[in-house]
Amino acid sequence: MKKLYFLFTLTLTLLFSSINVNANTNFCYNLKASVGESIDQVGIIYHSDVEGTEVHYGLDSHLSEYKIAEPTETVYGKGQTNGEPETVFKNRLVCRVNLSDLYEDATYYYQVVYQNEKSQIQTFRTPSSHKLTFGVLCDTQSSGSTFQQSNELVNKLVQINQNINFFMIAGDIVDRGGYEVQWNYFDQYMTTINRNYLFATVPGNHSSNPSYIDASIYNQYFFNPQNGPEVRKNSSYYFVQNDVLFIMLDIMHRSDNKNYNKEQIEWFKQVVQNVPSKFVIVMSHPGCYSTGVYDGDAEIVNGNWRKVFEECGVDLAISGHEHIYARTQPLYDNKVDLEKGVTYVIGGSAGQKSYSAIGKGMFDVVIETEEYGQYSGSICEIVDDTLTMSFYRKNGTVKDTFTIKSKRTIDKNFDIDNFMDSIKVEYDEKTYENKIIW
């Protein structure tokens, strides 16, 4: 029945709408893997023109031995926006699979299979429990073959550090998210990251067209942990790796929902409270501080989120948006505080666009693209209680390095049930006081 309904939907689309459906069916395209909520989970997403596909995955590089995962399938398609033919997304199935119970520090291989057809085998590696290494990119925002330059940057970063497990991207992944062809270019030319690494991304103001409307298009290309607030499900989320809590925020302003910050702030506080961690790292597209390029956006984010970050003990807040590299000293209440402060980083430009800073503002380090050229990114390494982040040019030259020490420790042997059982209350009849002993 489900198959008949899908075929009927496609037929009606062809007859009565302006959406173009490709006559040549494609059983798998836009195949990607994203981080899961925990170290043993991964989200797989891909598009298909047919029902009945499945994902094969395993530890064998040839997948001669494998497990099978069946996707959930959702019909997606979009007509023209503002009368622009480029904004049409033909009807397709968006297929999502959540892999779980994965081994740590293991290389997995996966592909999509439909009857006798098989996609290219892609791969990812899960982190180890004693060391965490990841890449940081901002504003890959390119179009066409210019994505090859961003791909060369990725190649250089993984050449510098072969322990990278995943890449964070702070929004504006493509230049016009409302054009399907640009997502196709990203998949076609960013081969290293698409075929071999996990994603951890957030949308930016270029995720729609002509400006940020919502994350509906972005959500068809990345399957993130589904643990975020309802108001921004999939585009805001968190994940945990090696006692490091990553909180990914979609805080782009939208006039259709004035409470989007309030709901996310409540969710954010609950996550930090309920997930003990040695580091808290936040990523968003706009940040709390600006070099002057987007002062207005930074003012909004600062007014809504700066005190929340400070209250929750955030260690590192990474943003993009300004196409400039900038870093603060640890800040608390707009003052340098080496004990309680949050370090804010604007991560440079991993794509073809670059801007000039108007001023330093609250930043201690500002490096404009004239100093390093376009196509830059960072590598972050966390060992025990020390986080080290280095900013690189595409040629491998280091332009900035800093370290952060953890503000907190985790007792992995702590048992909440045993602790609650150990609590005793004694009443002193002479003083009429209760004493709590543990």
Side-chain angles (χ1 to χ4, degrees), residues 135-264:
V136 177
L137 305 175
C138 299
D139 300 276
T140 48
Q141 194 180 345
S142 297
S143 179
S145 60
T146 55
F147 273 120
Q148 290 177 322
Q149 301 293 321
S150 300
N151 193 62
E152 289 179 13
L153 166 65
V154 172
N155 289 336
K156 176 56 68 174
L157 294 178
V158 298
Q159 178 184 345
I160 292 169
N161 193 320
Q162 298 181 7
N163 294 317
I164 292 175
N165 293 109
F166 61 91
F167 278 89
M168 303 178 76
I169 306 182
D172 284 1
I173 297 164
V174 299
D175 190 48
R176 289 290 183 269
Y179 295 172
E180 181 179 8
V181 67
Q182 295 205 3
W183 295 102
N184 295 340
Y185 287 143
F186 179 79
D187 184 71
Q188 178 182 352
Y189 293 109
M190 290 286 286
T191 53
T192 299
I193 188 170
N194 275 295
R195 310 290 183 261
N196 302 286
Y197 291 93
L198 298 172
F199 285 96
T201 65
V202 292
N205 55 299
H206 284 262
S207 296
S208 301
N209 184 66
S211 60
Y212 188 81
I213 301 171
D214 56 39
S216 59
I217 296 176
Y218 163 88
N219 288 338
Q220 312 310 315
Y221 287 89
F222 297 96
F223 183 34
N224 303 319
Q226 302 297 291
N227 52 23
E230 288 298 327
V231 68
R232 297 288 169 99
K233 182 78 75 175
N234 191 73
S235 57
S236 285
Y237 57 99
Y238 75 88
F239 63 100
V240 181
Q241 296 195 2
N242 298 356
D243 300 324
V244 178
L245 172 60
F246 296 85
I247 305 182
M248 313 294 285
L249 291 176
D250 172 11
I251 51 178
M252 294 304 305
H253 176 69
R254 281 210 319 260
S255 59
D256 65 334
N257 190 333
K258 296 181 180 179
N259 294 319
Y260 73 101
N261 270 318
K262 180 181 178 181
E263 293 182 38
Q264 290 205 97

Side-chain angles (χ1 to χ4, degrees), residues 356-372:
S356 297
I358 297 174
K360 291 188 69 172
M362 297 297 295
F363 291 99
D364 186 59
V365 175
V366 175
I367 306 176
E368 296 183 295
T369 51
E370 286 77 5
E371 298 182 51
Y372 65 81

Side-chain angles (χ1 to χ4, degrees), residues 294-397:
Y294 288 108
D295 268 343
D297 291 341
E299 184 178 346
I300 294 172
V301 177
N302 194 300
N304 286 303
W305 287 95
R306 178 181 60 80
K307 291 184 178 180
V308 177
F309 291 172
E310 294 171 355
E311 174 189 337
C312 293
V314 170
D315 297 282
L316 175 63
I318 304 170
S319 61
H321 200 31
E322 302 213 345
H323 302 249
I324 290 170
Y325 179 84
R327 173 177 60 83
T328 69
Q329 292 287 338
L331 299 178
Y332 191 95
D333 196 21
N334 291 320
K335 300 180 182 65
V336 174
D337 189 323
L338 301 181
E339 293 184 2
K340 298 186 297 181
V342 183
T343 300
Y344 295 88
V345 172
I346 301 175
S349 175
Q352 63 179 338
K353 291 187 177 181
S354 60
Y355 301 145
S356 297
I358 297 174
K360 291 188 69 172
M362 297 297 295
F363 291 99
D364 186 59
V365 175
V366 175
I367 306 176
E368 296 183 295
T369 51
E370 286 77 5
E371 298 182 51
Y372 65 81
Q374 297 135 306
Y375 306 104
S376 59
S378 299
I379 298 174
C380 189
E381 198 166 50
I382 300 175
V383 182
D384 298 327
D385 65 345
T386 302
L387 179 156
T388 303
M389 188 167 175
S390 298
F391 176 63
Y392 293 89
R393 295 176 59 182
K394 190 180 72 172
N395 65 4
T397 303

